[in-house]
Amino acid sequence: MKVDIVIVGAGLSGATAARILAEKGYKVLIIERLKHIAGHCYDYKNEFGISIHKYGPHIFHTNDKETWDFVNKFSKFRYYQHRVLSYVEGNYVPFPVNRTTLSRIFGLKPYSTDVKKILQQEIDRSNYIKPPLNFRDAVVSQMGEKLYSLFYKNYTIKQWQTHPENISADLAKRIPIRENDDNRYFADKYQGIPLYGYTKLVESILDHENISILLGQDYFEIKEELKSDILIYTGELDRYFNYKYGKLEYRSLDLKIETYEKEYFQQAAVINYPNDYDWTRITEFKYFLDEKSSKTSVCFEYPKASGEPYYIVMTKENIQKRDLYLQEVKRCEEMDNVFFIGRLAEYRYYNMDQVIKAAVDKVNKNILSK
Ligand code: UDP
């Protein structure tokens, strides 16, 4: 079979790349291992009319207008600003830590809480290495040991199954600390949920006469039979190179979905449980699209080592190994017309908007400009 371009993976990165190339007149074939499109942002409506994010909660947020304009070409978005509570010492408090959180934890009057002063006192009585070289020290350097222990330490151990000292300081960049009462999880300029779901969004991105899709097919089983001028790979980085530098770690999740005979289960779309229970968080899906139902469906997340690869693991060993693979990637992209895009193929903790931007940039700068 001959096509211009083969893309491995029908997630956001594969779909975005496919669309741009299809619009330029290339014939694109997508090979997808799963039996559905949209990768890990796949969602579906259950029998109670509630949209379930099969692989865990996805909230679209970006500061990049081009990326926002791109997704809005393919779907309407519902106005939605994500808010998360953390269950700490028997109370539900805003997370990321903000002024309200601090007043609750330290028993202070909400509006007279001087965040800067409290954080500085907490930091001053804590031990950490400057500049911070790991996740534990990065968080402690911003809020001190007490808050780190309440909100981050045990959540991180549950999520990554390793001590926060073994995780890169870069992980701390995902979560801000707020001096005001802003209780949104993200502060990005553009935020929302695709009105008809992520699967429909991706379906619409892929809806082009130059794109064909083969679902439920592992690329590696048929790669010898495929001929194309260009290959775009969005699967696991180490697998492409037959693990020549050793296996990279990926984390997975057991997502236990339960439906309850009541209108609402909890007070927020997501509640984090850093210290209690074995799950990290519970998501109540109906909040995302404000879906009305007399029942409600929620999802408990239990992190695990094996299974569908959801997360890269930011330890020193993995990052070093990744860098070896990335040298091979560079060579493939320059010499062989094989390009790597996305969370799994670049081994980067990308958000959805970053995946789209990475795909747009790679196609425009590395493929179309050749
Ligand atoms: N984290 C934490 N406590 C929380 C939320 C997050 O310690 O209540 C840490 C944890 O290590 C987590 C990381 O911050 O894996 C990133 O959190 P985020 O909410 O961005 O994770 P995602 O939504 O990608 O699962």
Side-chain angles (χ1 to χ4, degrees):
M1 183 174 181
K2 176 85 175 87
V3 288
D4 298 326
I5 297 177
V6 166
I7 298 184
V8 182
L12 272 180
S13 47
T16 303
R19 180 67 188 215
I20 303 169
L21 291 160
E23 284 181 0
K24 295 281 179 194
Y26 292 94
K27 296 261 183 257
V28 179
L29 170 65
I30 303 185
I31 316 281
E32 168 57 58
R33 179 178 55 81
L34 298 171
K35 293 201 172 73
H36 59 72
I37 60 163
H40 293 153
C41 66
Y42 174 81
D43 56 10
Y44 63 93
K45 247 190 195 188
N46 70 7
E47 58 198 293
F48 313 113
I50 298 164
S51 299
I52 306 293
H53 296 185
K54 182 171 180 196
Y55 301 96
H58 282 70
I59 296 99
F60 198 89
H61 57 100
T62 189
N63 278 318
D64 185 50
K65 182 161 166 49
E66 259 179 58
T67 302
W68 183 242
D69 289 344
F70 178 82
V71 288
N72 275 270
K73 274 201 301 199
F74 300 104
S75 174
K76 285 193 174 137
F77 274 69
R78 172 174 186 256
Y79 171 88
Y80 174 79
Q81 305 250 319
H82 193 45
R83 289 183 169 82
V84 172
L85 297 172
S86 187
Y87 183 67
V88 166
E89 296 181 318
N91 294 306
Y92 296 100
V93 294
F95 188 83
V97 169
N98 67 7
R99 188 161 67 151
T100 320
T101 318
L102 291 184
S103 67
R104 299 277 299 278
I105 294 291
F106 293 102
L108 304 165
K109 286 208 190 89
Y111 296 105
S112 59
T113 301
D114 183 341
V115 173
K116 267 205 180 92
K117 197 171 129 201
I118 293 177
L119 290 179
Q120 199 53 56
Q121 280 169 356
E122 289 301 310
I123 294 164
D124 288 347
R125 59 167 74 112
S126 301
N127 287 316
Y128 61 96
I129 294 167
K130 271 188 241 176
L133 296 176
N134 62 59
F135 182 64
R136 183 239 174 233
D137 286 356
V139 176
V140 171
S141 73
Q142 292 168 348
M143 56 170 59
E145 279 167 2
K146 179 182 164 91
L147 294 163
Y148 157 77
S149 296
L150 287 177
F151 290 95
Y152 288 84
K153 183 179 170 192
N154 296 322
Y155 188 109
T156 298
I157 292 171
K158 267 194 233 181
Q159 170 72 12
W160 305 105
Q161 212 174 48
T162 186
H163 195 277
E165 281 174 6
N166 300 325
I167 304 263
S168 161
D170 282 350
L171 185 66
K173 292 185 189 143
R174 287 185 71 81
I175 304 184
I177 295 156
R178 303 237 171 79
E179 291 179 7
N180 56 19
D181 295 311
D182 185 351
N183 63 357
R184 296 170 303 163
Y185 205 65
F186 309 109
D188 300 49
K189 182 164 179 185
Y190 309 103
Q191 306 188 35
I193 307 282
L195 199 51
Y196 311 106
Y198 288 96
T199 309
K200 284 269 178 247
L201 165 69
V202 176
E203 196 177 290
S204 158
I205 296 174
L206 291 171
D207 181 17
H208 191 285
E209 58 184 6
N210 287 339
I211 300 177
S212 37
I213 307 164
L214 186 57
L215 292 177
Q217 176 64 61
D218 186 339
Y219 162 73
F220 291 97
E221 283 169 10
I222 55 162
K223 68 179 204 179
E224 307 306 335
E225 294 146 50
L226 293 168
K227 297 251 174 314
S228 69
D229 300 329
I230 292 173
L231 178 73
I232 295 177
Y233 179 77
T234 74
E236 291 112 292
L237 175 60
D238 52 354
R239 185 164 183 216
Y240 186 85
F241 295 104
N242 205 15
Y243 311 102
K244 69 185 279 192
Y245 298 117
K247 283 203 165 182
L248 290 163
E249 275 178 287
Y250 299 89
R251 290 290 286 163
S252 193
L253 297 171
D254 251 342
L255 297 163
K256 199 161 156 270
I257 295 168
E258 301 276 2
T259 297
Y260 294 93
E261 298 275 341
K262 51 178 163 185
E263 212 181 337
Y264 284 96
F265 177 82
Q266 60 187 26
Q267 314 157 44
V270 170
I271 299 188
N272 290 354
Y273 287 82
N275 309 311
D276 301 270
Y277 304 103
D278 294 331
W279 57 77
T280 46
R281 60 186 175 192
I282 305 176
T283 299
E284 183 162 14
F285 292 109
K286 67 188 341 188
Y287 282 103
F288 293 148
L289 291 169
D290 193 25
E291 289 166 326
K292 303 295 177 202
S293 171
S294 57
K295 299 184 204 288
T296 190
S297 299
V298 306
C299 146
F300 299 72
E301 291 184 36
Y302 298 88
K304 60 176 182 176
S306 61
E308 195 58 31
Y310 292 14
Y311 292 98
I312 67 141
V313 185
M314 295 168 78
T315 58
K316 207 183 273 169
E317 295 73 27
N318 287 319
I319 302 300
Q320 279 169 355
K321 235 180 255 175
R322 174 196 60 191
D323 291 345
L324 292 175
Y325 282 115
L326 289 185
Q327 286 173 18
E328 300 281 332
V329 165
K330 194 162 177 284
R331 195 189 51 74
C332 285
E333 295 192 340
E334 283 168 8
M335 318 286 289
D336 302 340
N337 272 339
V338 179
F339 299 91
F340 294 73
I341 313 175
R343 200 186 249 219
L344 300 178
E346 295 183 59
Y347 204 75
R348 291 183 64 158
Y349 197 162
Y350 275 143
N351 293 325
M352 289 183 284
D353 65 320
Q354 296 169 317
V355 164
I356 291 170
K357 184 154 173 39
V360 170
D361 285 352
K362 186 134 298 175
V363 170
N364 286 333
K365 291 183 193 150
N366 300 51
I367 302 179
L368 291 174
S369 66
K370 272 205 172 181

